Amino acid sequence: SQQGEEDPQALSIQEGENATMNCSYKTSINNLQWYRQNSGRGLVHLILIRSNEREKHSGRLRVTLDTSKKSSSLLITASRAADTASYFCATEITGTASKLTFGTGTRLQVTL
Amino acid sequence: NAGVMQNPRHLVRRRGQEARLRCSPMKGHSHVYWYRQLPEEGLKFMVYLQKENIIDESGMPKERFSAEFPKEGPSILRIQQVVRGDSAAYFCASSPRQGRNYGYTFGSGTRLTVV
């Protein structure tokens, strides 16, 4: 399996519910980043958490990082239909200098 | 301040032709990265360039693929003698300095279809 695997692969929720996505990785990292990709579009940077941080917030987003378990979670609270997209975690592996390793993504569907 | 600009958005090439993909980084960004995304997959790193220098090309196939980032003008990803397996979305990202602990700004990508 590859560095940066998201779980679940797909998630369908109703508007107003919370969405939680998880990411696991294998090696030591400088930081972990979350990106959103709308269908057929480019990636939008959501949030970056450094290896010495445990939790970070940005608006309705909450990211946690557990380096002992090599895992991260992205929580989107009070989801909206506009949150429908694919979400990717990406790790900057220690010693690789500026090269991101992406997971396969979680496809989130938020219905009205 | 325009974001990362990639063109063309869509490119169709016949097998054996050459594909040239262009990327203009954000203003003030001197570091450019190219990634490839196959359908239903995450992005795979290809190459990292600074002006006139290739820093890391460990993700780029040894044959047919090349990249440059000249002193003036956009970064170019060139694929010679394209094959059907080259069909993918190619994304460019830029950052103002070596990306450690900085997020990356991605372009909208070039979708290459080889027929």
Side-chain angles (χ1 to χ4, degrees), chain A residues 37 40 92 97-100, chain B residues 35 37 45 58 98-100 111:
Chain A
Q37 184 180 36
E92 189 177 285
S98 309
K99 181 164 61 180
L100 291 179
Chain B
Y35 287 80
Q37 184 180 33
F45 170 81
S58 59
Q98 191 168 353
R100 183 171 179 170
R111 278 146 191 84

Side-chain angles (χ1 to χ4, degrees), chain A residues 1-22:
Chain A
S1 57
Q2 58 183 319
Q3 175 89 348
E5 287 195 0
E6 285 92 339
D7 167 54
Q9 288 188 334
L11 179 61
S12 183
I13 59 174
Q14 291 191 317
E15 205 171 44
E17 295 181 331
N18 296 341
T20 300
M21 289 160 264
N22 303 296

Side-chain angles (χ1 to χ4, degrees), chain A residues 2 30-31 33 35 37 40-43 45 48 50-51 88 92 96-104 107, chain B residues 9 33 35 37 40-45 48 56 58 91 98-104 106-109 111:
Chain A
Q2 58 183 319
N30 295 327
N31 62 68
Q33 306 177 30
Y35 288 84
Q37 184 180 36
R41 306 294 297 273
L43 276 75
H45 178 257
L48 179 152
R50 302 180 184 188
S51 59
F88 294 91
E92 189 177 285
T96 60
S98 309
K99 181 164 61 180
L100 291 179
T101 301
F102 283 83
T104 52
R107 282 174 290 286
Chain B
R9 287 294 303 274
Y33 315 83
Y35 287 80
Q37 184 180 33
E40 307 300 320
E41 293 190 10
L43 276 70
K44 297 287 195 298
F45 170 81
Y48 163 37
D56 182 347
S58 59
F91 291 95
Q98 191 168 353
R100 183 171 179 170
N101 290 325
Y102 290 92
Y104 296 77
F106 280 83
S108 297
R111 278 146 191 84

Side-chain angles (χ1 to χ4, degrees), chain A residues 37-56:
Chain A
Q37 184 180 36
N38 290 86
S39 180
R41 306 294 297 273
L43 276 75
V44 174
H45 178 257
L46 295 176
I47 197 164
L48 179 152
I49 185 165
R50 302 180 184 188
S51 59
N52 61 352
E53 297 176 314
R54 293 296 166 259
E55 188 171 312
K56 208 161 181 181

